[in-house]
Structure formats: structure tokens, C-alpha cells
Amino acid sequence: RSEANTAAICPGLDGIPLAIGLAAARAPALGVEVVAARLDDRFRLLTGGHRTALPRHQTLRATLDWSYDLLPETERVVLRRLAVFAGGITLESASAVAGDADIADSDVVDRLANLVTKSLVTSDGGHPVVHYRLLDTTRAYALEKLTETGELELLARRHAVYHRDLFERAADE
């Protein structure tokens, strides 16, 4: 059982070296099973890196805060809005959900490309249409930020309407 939990921790943390290192530092005190079981609360669990490390390297949240704060505001908005996607994202779905009167579809595409370059969004070109996704850790962080802005309900509705319309078009075809 311990080996299975250990094997689940790395992919559960999206292979992020800092997160894995923080989890490894917690394992002796909490046990591997507890660390694996509490990955859903990764920002509270993964704190207390090396005392000599820079503050942004002492917690997973601090690292994400640091990266997020470096983003231009429009990229922050797009990143937050993409958090409503639990799985794959296409350019079409990203534009439909993350775009609005203030952020044009072309701006969403540009911001998405920048977020891929900055490793905050991953891309998979192994399909006829490129698919994007947020790592689970990044998505959890962006969902917190989306909730803080009060936009979660609005974006969840846009996401639902987009997919409803997509399924209706597919049924018609």
C-alpha cells in the first residue's frame, strides 16, 4: 500500500519538482499515506520548505503567487477563467468561455499561447486540434483566484452553455 501511495504522489502533484520536494519533506512527519490522501488540500499541506530557501520556494502557494503576480492582468484573467475546464480545452472553447466584451477572442488566443510558453498551461498537439489543459495544481490555484473575484458562477454557466450548444450541434449533425 505504501508503494502505491508513493507512486501516486508524483503524478498527483503534476510532476512539479518543488511540490514533490515539499511532499517528501512532509512524509517523515505525516507518513506517505497521509500525504497521498491530502493532496486535494495541497496548498495547506505543502508548506515549510528549507529555511534557507527563498520565500517563494518555501510553499507551493508562494511559488504560484509569485508566478501569478508576474503575469499581465489580461493573462491573469484568462488563466482564472480557464480553471472552469476540468479537462481538455480547445482554442474554440477557450475563446467562448474566457472571452467577453473586454477580452476579444484573438486576445484569448494570444494569452493562452503566452500561458503555454510560461508553463502555466500545457498543450498537446497529438490531435487534429491542439488541446490545452491546466495542471491540477495550477487549476486548483486558478479556481481559488476565480472564486475570489466572484466570477466562478458566471464562468461555470458560460462553460455549461458552451458545452450544451456543442452537444446540440453534434446531435444535429
Side-chain angles (χ1 to χ4, degrees), residues 18 54-57 59-71 76 118 120 141 145:
L18 173 63
L54 293 171
R56 70 176 180 264
H57 292 163
T59 71
L60 188 56
R61 179 180 305 285
T63 300
L64 286 165
D65 282 341
W66 180 75
S67 294
Y68 184 80
D69 290 343
L70 289 175
L71 296 175
R76 289 183 204 165
K118 294 171 182 174
L120 291 167
Y141 179 84
K145 292 295 187 183

Side-chain angles (χ1 to χ4, degrees), residues 67-89:
S67 294
Y68 184 80
D69 290 343
L70 289 175
L71 296 175
E73 182 57 27
T74 309
E75 285 180 23
R76 289 183 204 165
V77 171
V78 171
L79 179 65
R80 287 192 309 259
R81 291 178 177 181
L82 293 177
V84 297
F85 291 91
I89 306 165

